[in-house]
Amino acid sequence: MSKNEAIMEISQTANKFTSSIVLQFENKYIDVKSILGLFTTLVDSNSYELHVHGPDQEEAIASMKEVFAKHNLTIEIKKD
């Protein structure tokens, strides 16, 4: 699958939830619901931290883990 497909699917999945879903890469924080933000950040070989906060946090985490794994992207979930 292409990077574009991964970005579209990640963004569409994130937009199903009301929780805030933010991808941290180095010192950048990107709203995963923003396709443009993902285009400038998502690189196949890197590992990312995903920060999820909100009323449907657990469901959002489960879905995001699934979609990132499907595209062979490594994420670490951070909960506050």
Side-chain angles (χ1 to χ4, degrees):
M1 280 196 208
S2 73
K3 178 181 169 184
N4 291 0
E5 287 178 70
I7 288 167
M8 294 300 291
E9 190 169 354
I10 289 166
S11 179
Q12 287 170 348
T13 302
N15 276 294
K16 294 176 185 173
F17 300 99
T18 56
S19 291
S20 161
I21 305 173
V22 176
L23 193 69
Q24 181 182 354
F25 173 64
E26 293 171 348
N27 61 349
K28 290 192 223 163
Y29 291 86
I30 290 86
D31 181 347
V32 179
K33 296 177 183 181
S34 163
I35 290 172
L36 187 60
L38 287 173
F39 266 113
T40 61
T41 307
L42 216 52
V43 183
D44 297 335
S45 61
N46 291 305
S47 179
Y48 306 92
E49 288 183 0
L50 201 64
H51 300 262
V52 183
H53 312 281
D56 51 4
Q57 174 177 303
E58 294 305 319
E59 297 92 337
I61 288 170
S63 290
M64 297 313 295
K65 278 184 181 176
E66 204 173 278
V67 74
F68 273 83
K70 177 180 175 183
H71 295 284
N72 297 314
L73 296 164
T74 306
I75 57 165
E76 183 181 337
I77 303 295
K78 296 288 186 184
K79 293 192 235 176
D80 289 346

